[in-house]
Amino acid sequence: MPSSLLSRIVRPALGLLATGLLAACHIAPPRTDDPNEHFNRKVYAFNDSLDKTLIRPVAVGYRKVTNPPVRTAVSDFYTNIRLPITVANELLQARPKQAIQTTGRFVVNLTIGFLGFKDPASLLGMPLYDTDFGVTLARWGVPEGSYLVLPFVGPTTPRDVWRLPVDSYFFDPLSYFSRNHDFKAGQYYIPSVLYLVTLRARAIDAESFLNSAYDPYVFMRDAYRQQRLYQIYDGNPPADVVERMQGITGNDNSNFDPEELLDQQHKWEQQNGQKPE
């Protein structure tokens, strides 16, 4: 699986899912809003194989040769060094207060936090915000588009995919450093590779959620979309937005039969040639 997803979306996604279900108070009709599912499942299977073959074993090895304090320090460093991405997008979102707070957090951790390997800002009660160019586009009204799973990237949408080139090229300090220094034998890839390994190692603790899912693809799809809503609305998405994302319409659903709905869902998947892997 993509390295960042399990660690960054599972916990808030599960909480948001529970909130959405309680708010809906009825059963959602079959999901028919994934027009790229046939393609997405194939790419999902490719990414999953890549993870099991290469990324996860490296992450497991990283956990074996490091102890928790070292992993925490490395994780804190990458969290801090990427804060300029958040600051830039907060300014683009016309949120100066958050941008000032994030800048303060970055400076504190960079100085008294030993270049970001420590996190004194959290001890001082300074908030940690997480945003990107995909959220920026959403806040300015750009539509999400259909759910996509891309090779080596994982879950995204036509709107969210722009965060990759924009954030990486314009706002990421590590990318800027790499472009402006002459490295030999590809050493400029080392920080990015270590960041990938760090995220994947952190995600190992959350794998049980995915492994227990009846259909891991559906779990990741819905968790990703819920996590994005969580970011766009600062953790408090409106109930009607959650319902629309879950495929719930404004019609009266009080007479829904769960078994009938499950049968409808299976029929729809069979008609569209989509079955759980």
Side-chain angles (χ1 to χ4, degrees):
M1 290 309 308
S3 62
S4 63
L5 285 174
L6 288 174
S7 62
R8 296 181 60 186
I9 72 179
V10 167
R11 184 171 297 175
L14 287 177
L16 189 56
L17 176 60
T19 302
L21 290 175
L22 289 174
C25 294
H26 47 56
I27 301 170
R31 295 295 297 271
T32 58
D33 58 346
D34 188 2
N36 305 310
E37 184 170 356
H38 186 67
F39 167 81
N40 287 342
R41 283 187 179 274
K42 290 184 177 181
V43 179
Y44 175 90
F46 168 78
N47 288 342
D48 189 51
S49 297
L50 178 66
D51 175 71
K52 292 177 179 177
T53 303
L54 178 61
I55 302 175
R56 189 182 188 280
V58 174
V60 171
Y62 170 75
R63 287 173 64 105
K64 289 182 178 179
V65 300
T66 58
N67 56 31
V70 169
R71 293 196 295 271
T72 298
V74 174
S75 179
D76 286 344
F77 169 79
Y78 279 110
T79 297
N80 196 64
I81 202 64
R82 291 173 59 83
L83 284 180
I85 298 175
T86 296
V87 173
N89 280 286
E90 286 169 337
L91 292 174
L92 291 175
Q93 295 166 20
R95 307 175 77 192
K97 178 181 178 180
Q98 288 84 348
I100 292 173
Q101 290 175 325
T102 302
T103 301
R105 182 184 181 90
F106 176 72
V107 172
V108 167
N109 282 349
L110 195 65
T111 53
I112 64 175
F114 300 98
L115 300 179
F117 285 98
K118 296 291 184 180
D119 184 20
S122 292
L123 297 177
L124 295 174
M126 304 179 73
L128 173 61
Y129 298 109
D130 181 21
T131 191
D132 53 57
F133 192 67
V135 175
T136 298
L137 293 177
R139 286 183 173 270
W140 287 106
V142 177
E144 178 185 33
S146 301
Y147 176 72
L148 285 173
V149 182
L150 298 181
F152 308 106
V153 174
T156 188
T157 65
R159 181 182 66 199
D160 287 346
V161 75
W162 285 101
R163 62 180 168 158
L164 300 177
V166 173
D167 288 344
S168 297
Y169 187 83
F170 293 105
F171 306 141
D172 187 352
L174 292 178
S175 176
Y176 179 83
F177 180 81
S178 299
R179 292 196 308 271
N180 290 276
H181 289 77
D182 185 23
F183 290 96
K184 305 298 182 181
Q187 290 97 328
Y188 53 86
Y189 289 116
I190 293 178
S192 297
V193 171
L194 182 56
Y195 177 57
L196 172 70
V197 173
T198 300
L199 289 175
R200 187 61 185 90
R202 198 165 57 193
I204 289 177
D205 294 331
E207 287 181 343
S208 60
F209 290 108
L210 185 64
N211 294 334
S212 63
Y214 167 71
D215 187 345
Y217 166 80
V218 170
F219 179 92
M220 292 298 296
R221 178 193 66 193
D222 294 350
Y224 173 81
R225 297 181 67 193
Q226 291 172 41
Q227 183 263 348
R228 295 306 284 173
L229 278 183
Y230 190 90
Q231 286 185 289
I232 293 168
Y233 290 97
D234 294 325
N236 296 292
D240 62 317
V241 175
V242 175
E243 290 179 359
R244 286 199 301 272
M245 185 204 65
Q246 293 175 338
I248 299 173
T249 65
N251 299 327
D252 179 15
N253 296 309
S254 59
N255 296 323
F256 279 173
D257 182 342
E259 293 185 3
E260 180 181 354
L261 286 176
L262 184 60
D263 183 61
Q264 291 177 14
Q265 179 73 59
H266 290 164
K267 287 181 179 178
W268 183 86
E269 291 175 349
Q270 292 171 1
Q271 290 172 357
N272 290 271
Q274 291 150 8
K275 300 178 181 180
E277 297 292 343

